[in-house]
Amino acid sequence: MVKIDDVRWEIPLSYKKGMRVPGRVFCDEKNLPKILNDHSLEQVANVAFLPGIVKYSMAMPDIHWGYGFPIGGVAATDPDEEGVISPGGVGYDINCGVRLLKTNLREEDVRPRLRELVGSLFSAVPCGVGQSGEVRLNRKEMRQMLREGSAWAVHHGYGIAADLECTEAQGCLDGADPEAVSERAYERGADQLGTLGSGNHFLEVQAVDQIFDPELAEKFGLETGQVTVMIHSGSRGFGYQVCEDSLEAARRALGKYHISVPDIQLSCAPVHSPEGKQYLAAMRCAANFAWANRQCLMALARKVFEHFFHRSAKDLGMDLLYDVAHNIAKFERHEVNGKQKMLCVHRKGATRAFAPGDPELPACYEDTGQPVIIPGDMGRHSYLLTGTARAAEETFSSCCHGAGRAMSRTAALKAARGHSIRKELEDRGIIVMARSEKGIAEEQSAAYKDIHEVVEVVVRAGLARKVARMRPLGVIKG
Amino acid sequence: MPYEIIEHTADIGLKVWGKDLQFLFIDAAEGFFNLVTDLDALRRSDPGPYHEVEMNFQEDNAEDLLMHWLQELLFAFSVRHSVLVEYHFATLTPMILRLKAQAIRFDPSRHVSRHEIKAVTHHRFHLIKIRIGWEAEVIFDI
């Protein structure tokens, strides 16, 4: 790798025969060994093979080993230059994402009854292996939900109209075609709307513990000591099945389009091909499923707070600050070689980060830039950032998506042997409730890179501005 | 152990051995369900009667057949919460699988929850013939 500056590295075209563009990795010297330790840089180079890719195959500082694409990968293709869409460039959990909900409560309001509050959330929010949700839809209703996303949830009592404005793409991608989805995806998604899932998904009660930009924080309605709620989930079994089906279709079509990829997980099809169109139509359904899911999960959280504090969600100031997708492909206009082009931007473990003034932003965030929500691990902080013009120029308006894993699950379990992660977190004032004890050990802080260092890299690279930092108080996990 | 857990940064995988394809397919299934729950505890707590699961499919080769098998197990678990505990293969050749299995219905309120497997990935996936049978490797997205 060639060092460009303190936070930018390049994988030159000469690294591997077949690369169409160089690789660009955002990382500092300190975290470089962690990246070099796994196979993620090889994956950055492999993504550069995709037909129609423009500028760079990029990786954010939370990069780690994925399948085909690295987690933290960003790649834009030009559909007019035979650019492809890759289901692996979006991932299995289509529109996995994060939302941040404000309250007007203070940490001291929740601290005395924190265990009870976290327990109420844990009882109310279905999470973990094999847990069903309460929202049951017949096929006709499901199709409507897949077309409408968050708006479907709001129309059915899960939230308010104002939530839509504060959701990326208003919680709905146009062009979702329920006919493009397999029977299996319908079956896998049937009882999963309003469920959190497992793995790294969570619902967290937090307190704002540091403000970096008072002016922006005020515009977002955040102050030190304020309680927030963060939700991390995606399209559940529905999205996983859409990815599996589409990956198989793309794999079988590689020969038809004379596409050669170094890893079968990078199977792809031209955006304008029947396979590409079919995937896009199905992926948009899954994206809309995920937005409806996070909307239902937020409605459950609001209900718990209402019961718990005997006040309405409105009275508790439980407004959605923003919702971002971090596994998705979107069509966006970006400048390439001085020309505006409509590109297919794949973000696989990366967050969109629009600068102030971007026409896609809602009126309330026109001056601030897009809120960029970066969850940390359950023992450290999460961040609220905003997008910048530099990100628009350099990374197709993309930023990191989290801390990024540094340790495998088995290594994390070994590291946790002989001590209780749950107890250690409790000693630090963080209540964790999970269906699986092992799950807590696997998700411990030590298994992740330091979120502070990851965020510093994107800030130093000028891809985002820091607004505020939230500290976990209570976490529920699958 | 006829299989071992292999590491992947964010996910988990299995390396599986079998003296013939039938052993390998069963070992892969046992490994899969042990990632999801505690199979021994499940067998102890639910001695039967079981429900029947039937599978019939074919592929171009043994490797694709194994991928299909794992995808079917994942689907059976995700949708019907079926954990296979007894396997009766009517046919198992490198291209054809016909099976009637006995399965326990997983109940998250009674059974041990381990990992929610999202997908069987193609990442590093392979099935090869070795001197004393077959060997496979698979990574699951969790």
Side-chain angles (χ1 to χ4, degrees):
Chain A
M1 278 216 297
V2 180
K3 186 173 179 177
I4 306 292
D5 62 25
D6 284 349
V7 287
R8 286 174 179 80
W9 302 78
E10 185 160 312
I11 304 175
L13 272 174
S14 57
Y15 174 73
K16 215 170 179 181
K17 195 166 177 279
M19 285 172 70
R20 294 166 193 259
V21 291
R24 172 60 61 99
V25 179
F26 294 87
C27 180
D28 59 1
E29 295 257 7
K30 190 180 169 195
N31 280 291
L32 195 61
K34 286 180 194 145
I35 298 175
L36 293 170
N37 257 344
D38 68 15
H39 305 270
S40 47
L41 290 179
E42 199 63 28
Q43 294 184 325
V44 176
N46 290 346
V47 169
F49 279 63
L50 292 181
I53 188 169
V54 295
K55 282 167 94 167
Y56 293 104
S57 161
M58 281 183 273
M60 294 296 144
D62 45 343
I63 179 179
H64 60 88
W65 196 20
Y67 323 111
F69 267 66
I71 314 297
V74 178
T77 59
D78 183 350
D80 295 336
E81 299 291 331
E82 295 176 357
V84 293
I85 178 132
S86 167
V90 173
Y92 285 100
D93 195 356
I94 295 167
N95 189 6
C96 183
V98 204
R99 63 174 51 194
L100 182 63
L101 180 61
K102 292 184 283 186
T103 75
N104 56 22
L105 295 163
R106 311 274 315 158
E107 183 176 352
E108 52 273 25
D109 298 326
V110 302
R111 180 59 73 188
R113 294 168 65 204
L114 182 59
R115 184 177 298 279
E116 214 183 316
L117 175 63
V118 177
S120 302
L121 287 163
F122 191 56
S123 309
V125 178
C127 53
V129 179
Q131 288 280 353
S132 303
E134 277 177 24
V135 192
R136 295 298 169 91
L137 311 181
N138 63 33
R139 195 54 64 93
K140 193 177 160 208
E141 289 168 323
M142 185 124 163
R143 284 169 195 271
Q144 202 181 343
M145 180 270 286
L146 297 175
R147 276 191 291 261
E148 296 175 4
S150 287
W152 179 91
V154 168
H155 292 150
H156 288 77
Y158 303 98
I160 53 173
D163 298 337
L164 302 180
E165 196 179 337
C166 292
T167 304
E168 180 172 330
Q170 289 77 50
C172 178
L173 292 186
D174 289 337
D177 178 5
E179 300 298 324
V181 174
S182 73
E183 182 59 29
R184 288 206 151 187
Y186 279 102
E187 287 187 58
R188 281 184 78 179
D191 64 348
Q192 296 204 321
L193 196 62
T195 64
L196 195 60
S198 169
N200 61 1
H201 292 170
F202 64 80
L203 186 151
E204 193 169 284
V205 180
Q206 315 168 318
V208 176
D209 91 333
Q210 197 173 348
I211 298 286
F212 301 99
D213 189 321
E215 201 184 317
L216 279 175
E218 197 188 334
K219 285 184 176 163
F220 288 137
L222 290 181
E223 57 182 30
T224 312
Q226 183 179 349
V227 170
T228 56
V229 177
M230 190 176 276
I231 297 169
H232 179 207
S233 188
S235 50
R236 314 287 294 108
F238 183 87
Y240 316 157
Q241 189 65 41
V242 167
C243 180
E244 185 181 303
D245 296 337
S246 312
L247 203 55
E248 188 54 26
R251 184 170 79 105
R252 291 184 192 274
L254 284 172
K256 182 173 157 191
Y257 299 111
H258 311 289
I259 295 172
S260 160
V261 284
D263 181 340
I264 217 70
Q265 283 284 141
L266 284 175
S267 294
C268 53
V271 170
H272 294 312
S273 69
E275 292 83 1
K277 284 179 185 162
Q278 167 114 3
Y279 171 62
L280 275 166
M283 183 209 74
R284 288 163 173 155
C285 288
N288 293 347
F289 185 110
W291 272 312
N293 186 36
R294 290 198 288 278
Q295 190 66 31
C296 291
L297 289 167
M298 179 174 71
L300 281 172
R302 280 176 173 156
K303 217 163 130 186
V304 168
F305 272 71
E306 285 181 331
H307 278 280
F308 199 82
F309 293 100
H310 306 292
R311 288 162 65 190
S312 70
K314 192 177 173 199
D315 194 30
L316 286 164
M318 296 188 81
D319 299 328
L320 177 61
L321 195 146
Y322 206 60
D323 175 299
V324 291
H326 55 223
N327 280 359
I328 205 157
K330 303 273 278 288
F331 287 92
E332 294 168 5
R333 293 198 82 80
H334 291 284
E335 199 177 293
V336 183
N337 301 327
K339 277 190 205 153
Q340 284 288 320
K341 302 281 289 182
M342 181 62 85
L343 301 176
C344 177
V345 184
H346 299 73
R347 297 192 179 96
K348 171 78 196 81
T351 314
R352 193 190 72 177
F354 278 157
D358 192 286
E360 274 201 44
L361 287 177
C364 56
Y365 297 136
E366 228 174 71
D367 300 344
T368 60
Q370 182 208 305
V372 178
I373 306 162
I374 310 295
D377 60 74
M378 62 189 176
R380 281 188 280 232
H381 297 85
S382 294
Y383 279 83
L384 181 69
L385 316 175
T386 52
T388 63
R390 183 82 190 257
E393 286 160 23
E394 207 177 340
T395 59
F396 310 110
S397 300
S398 307
C399 184
C400 61
H401 88 305
R405 276 194 86 90
M407 198 189 269
S408 74
R409 291 180 183 275
T410 33
L413 281 177
K414 269 182 215 153
R417 241 175 239 164
H419 56 119
S420 164
I421 301 293
R422 182 201 296 272
K423 176 80 178 42
E424 284 170 13
L425 287 167
E426 278 196 29
D427 290 345
R428 292 174 43 212
I430 304 165
I431 307 285
V432 183
M433 295 192 186
R435 299 273 166 214
S436 155
E437 278 301 315
K438 277 190 175 176
I440 297 179
E442 289 179 7
E443 290 290 319
Q444 62 179 298
S445 287
Y448 284 87
K449 293 179 199 174
D450 186 334
I451 184 76
H452 309 299
E453 292 172 3
V454 169
V455 164
E456 279 312 316
V457 170
V458 291
V459 170
R460 276 163 62 200
L463 305 180
R465 288 171 69 183
K466 279 196 286 190
V467 180
R469 191 174 84 168
M470 287 76 69
R471 175 167 39 83
L473 303 177
V475 189
I476 71 164
K477 292 188 78 75
Chain B
M1 284 280 270
Y3 64 86
E4 67 180 29
I5 290 173
I6 50 175
E7 303 196 1
H8 185 271
T9 314
D11 300 290
I12 211 151
L14 291 174
K15 196 163 190 172
V16 189
W17 297 273
K19 65 177 182 182
D20 59 23
L21 269 187
Q22 186 165 317
F23 273 90
L24 183 123
F25 273 54
I26 293 173
D27 293 343
E30 296 269 309
F32 171 87
F33 287 118
N34 255 327
L35 288 176
V36 173
T37 184
D38 181 338
L39 209 43
D40 288 342
L42 191 86
R43 282 188 168 111
R44 277 198 304 274
S45 66
D46 293 50
Y50 304 137
H51 65 276
E52 193 168 85
V53 174
E54 211 175 319
M55 291 183 192
N56 296 296
F57 50 85
Q58 35 190 310
E59 289 291 343
D60 295 337
N61 55 62
E63 194 170 84
D64 286 353
L65 198 76
L66 177 64
M67 171 60 73
H68 198 148
W69 167 240
L70 292 166
Q71 287 172 343
E72 289 296 324
L73 299 179
L74 175 57
F75 184 72
F77 180 79
S78 307
V79 173
R80 286 178 264 285
H81 299 177
S82 299
V83 178
L84 275 56
V85 288
E86 283 176 16
Y87 306 84
H88 307 287
F89 286 97
T91 313
L92 182 60
T93 70
M95 290 164 74
I96 301 168
L97 183 149
R98 288 201 188 95
L99 159 105
K100 274 187 183 159
Q102 298 297 311
I104 294 172
R105 195 88 59 200
F106 176 81
D107 175 355
S109 66
R110 294 194 299 117
H111 298 131
V112 176
S113 292
R114 285 183 175 162
H115 297 102
E116 184 188 52
I117 294 182
K118 295 176 184 172
V120 187
T121 77
H122 289 274
H123 180 69
R124 290 169 61 183
F125 177 73
H126 65 259
L127 170 67
I128 50 167
K129 193 124 185 37
I130 53 173
R131 198 171 51 83
I132 44 162
W134 294 82
E135 180 185 288
E137 193 174 313
V138 58
I139 305 277
F140 300 106
D141 189 321
I142 59 173

